[in-house]
Amino acid sequence: MEVKAVYKYARISAKKMRDVAQEIQGLSVSQATDILSYTPKKGAYLLNKTLKSALANAENNAELSVDTLMVKSVMVDEGPTMRRTMPRARGSANMIRKRTSHITVILADQEG
């Protein structure tokens, strides 16, 4: 059985988030939690938060055992981009893009 959790509009770019997401794909939940808690990146903190939410969903809603779960997939999609302008020399302006992302964590039972 599969369980998922979604974190929408996370204030981090999808490109930075995907670097962290690749590290935990296919691991057991305990290994993934250990890796994320010792990774010094903002994306690791946000992904750990989403992973814990998926664990809570599995335990409370689907009544699955937490010990037998593994991270089946982690998808990071781009969210809407907030655009801001910064004044530059001679009356011109540059665009600043504040990017967001949507994080989806899917947990499944281990086969075997």
Side-chain angles (χ1 to χ4, degrees):
M1 182 172 192
E2 292 183 356
V3 180
K4 80 175 188 177
V6 180
Y7 183 164
K8 291 187 134 195
Y9 307 106
R11 270 291 291 125
I12 190 170
S13 71
K15 187 176 181 181
K16 291 177 185 176
M17 195 68 209
R18 285 184 189 119
D19 289 340
V20 180
Q22 280 182 328
E23 296 293 321
I24 66 163
Q25 228 155 7
L27 297 177
S28 69
V29 171
S30 59
Q31 287 176 327
T33 307
D34 291 343
I35 289 173
L36 291 175
S37 59
Y38 291 111
T39 303
K41 291 191 169 195
K42 179 182 177 180
Y45 170 75
L46 297 174
L47 193 56
N48 199 10
K49 194 173 173 179
T50 312
L51 182 64
K52 287 180 181 177
S53 175
L55 271 176
N57 290 345
E59 197 171 15
N60 297 321
N61 299 346
E63 298 176 1
L64 295 173
S65 175
V66 178
D67 301 329
T68 63
L69 292 175
M70 64 175 282
V71 180
K72 182 177 180 185
S73 70
V74 180
M75 292 178 291
V76 181
D77 303 318
E78 289 183 9
T81 301
M82 297 183 283
R83 290 176 176 84
R84 305 288 183 262
T85 57
M86 176 174 274
R88 304 307 287 183
R90 300 176 140 198
S92 63
N94 278 0
M95 188 66 67
I96 295 179
R97 292 176 201 89
K98 296 178 178 264
R99 299 183 187 269
T100 61
S101 57
H102 302 314
I103 307 162
T104 305
V105 176
I106 299 175
L107 303 179
D109 285 329
Q110 289 179 344
E111 289 82 27

